[in-house]
Amino acid sequence: MADPAPAHLDPSALGTKEYWDTLYTRELTNHAANPQDEGTVWFDDADAQAKMVAYLDEHCSNPDHEPLHHEPLDPSRAAVLDLGCGNGSLLFALRDEGWEGRLLGVDYSARSVELAGRVGGGRKGEREVEFKVWDVLNGPLSEVAVAVAVEGESETETAAGWDVVLDKGTFDAVSLSGERDGQGRRICEGYGERVLQLLRPGGIFLVTSCNWTEAELRDWFETKTRPTEAGARLRLAGRIEYPSFHFGGVKGQTISTLCFEKASN
């Protein structure tokens, strides 16, 4: 059995809000001077963004593939939440691929959200992608709630979880924070629990990391993430392949992307 006490990364400036505010202030200035400069696309050297979009297209919405849950996602309706949205590039890429449902990007840096909004403002002829200042670890869940019509009661709406929650480097940044929560844990230890609260039953969490291996991500989200009171937990549902390397007889890769499903058992 895995050790319940997780190993941690040493705290770094990349785990502070000040670092990201400074970075996105600079990227806002660059974008104002040259609108073609839309800022950093994280893990672009590994083509992670395109691979994540392709994975959702091929494995989650294509009925020719075995679905991850009881039915494939419908790109015309699926609600997608991007945690730590940066300049919004991942959601814009999904919109370009025909994901027409609600797309919301959140970030605790107001400067990030401002940049994403400005980049999105230059994109015409499509349904708007939403961006909001919200802290994944501390923000009220009601502020990012998904409302859906109850079948047979078109005038009534009820809260529901997100179909897809995305993370491209945000858990990495959270893992580099030295902050602790009210229980004395490093704040990254509560990240998976928040993801579970955001997902609907059967919803999926697609996470990309350069700081954690596949085995470590599985440990974080399958083993060390506490199940909900109803018994829902995160369960591995798939992975994305990247070019691998061999060193000292061990096979590895520079980044990892895993897909987890919110499962009841």
Side-chain angles (χ1 to χ4, degrees):
M1 179 177 294
D3 185 349
H8 287 292
L9 303 177
D10 291 334
S12 159
L14 277 74
T16 67
K17 183 173 179 293
E18 291 75 16
Y19 174 89
W20 299 104
D21 283 342
T22 299
L23 182 144
Y24 287 113
T25 296
R26 181 169 62 251
E27 295 202 339
L28 275 166
T29 300
N30 294 340
H31 181 67
N34 175 16
Q36 301 303 311
D37 185 348
E38 298 182 348
T40 303
V41 176
W42 301 105
F43 308 136
D44 190 40
D45 55 344
D47 207 22
Q49 179 167 287
K51 289 180 180 293
M52 292 175 75
V53 172
Y55 184 90
L56 291 172
D57 281 340
E58 295 170 9
H59 295 270
C60 304
S61 64
N62 188 339
D64 293 334
H65 284 262
E66 183 179 350
L68 297 177
H69 39 84
H70 59 88
E71 60 183 13
L73 293 171
D74 180 356
S76 70
R77 302 179 59 183
V80 181
L81 177 66
D82 186 13
L83 302 178
C85 61
N87 65 354
S89 62
L90 180 53
L91 293 181
F92 294 136
L94 277 175
R95 188 67 91 209
D96 288 343
E97 285 298 309
W99 289 72
E100 299 174 354
R102 185 184 181 194
L103 305 185
L104 173 63
V106 297
D107 204 293
Y108 72 168
S109 171
R111 305 299 277 169
S112 160
V113 171
E114 183 180 353
L115 175 63
R118 289 190 184 184
V119 172
R123 298 168 60 87
K124 305 299 182 183
E126 63 182 26
R127 183 177 174 185
E128 181 183 6
V129 176
E130 303 172 55
F131 297 100
K132 182 182 183 65
V133 179
W134 189 74
D135 184 341
V136 60
L137 293 170
N138 300 301
L141 294 171
S142 60
E143 292 185 1
V144 294
V146 184
V148 296
V150 176
E151 186 176 356
E153 301 179 34
S154 58
E155 300 298 319
T156 305
E157 290 191 339
T158 183
W162 294 85
D163 296 297
V164 181
V165 172
L166 301 172
D167 176 330
K168 183 160 64 75
T170 297
F171 183 61
D172 282 351
V174 171
S175 299
L176 292 169
S177 172
E179 292 185 46
R180 295 187 178 273
D181 64 17
Q183 302 175 53
R185 304 179 301 175
R186 287 273 293 272
I187 58 172
C188 59
E189 294 180 54
Y191 188 84
E193 294 162 27
R194 290 287 278 188
V195 169
L196 272 173
Q197 292 177 291
L198 291 165
L199 285 169
R200 69 164 174 80
I204 62 172
F205 173 49
L206 190 62
V207 54
T208 296
S209 170
C210 65
N211 286 341
W212 302 103
T213 66
E214 288 188 1
E216 289 169 333
L217 286 175
R218 290 194 66 175
D219 192 31
W220 272 112
F221 294 115
E222 284 192 307
T223 304
K224 295 187 170 77
T225 292
R226 299 171 182 170
T228 67
E229 291 184 0
R233 62 180 64 247
L234 291 171
R235 179 177 63 193
L236 185 69
R239 62 187 294 274
I240 291 177
E241 293 279 357
Y242 293 95
S244 60
F245 62 88
H246 289 80
F247 182 78
V250 177
K251 181 180 178 181
Q253 55 191 41
T254 56
I255 67 171
S256 301
T257 301
L258 294 183
C259 181
F260 296 92
E261 178 184 1
K262 182 175 180 178
S264 58
N265 52 46

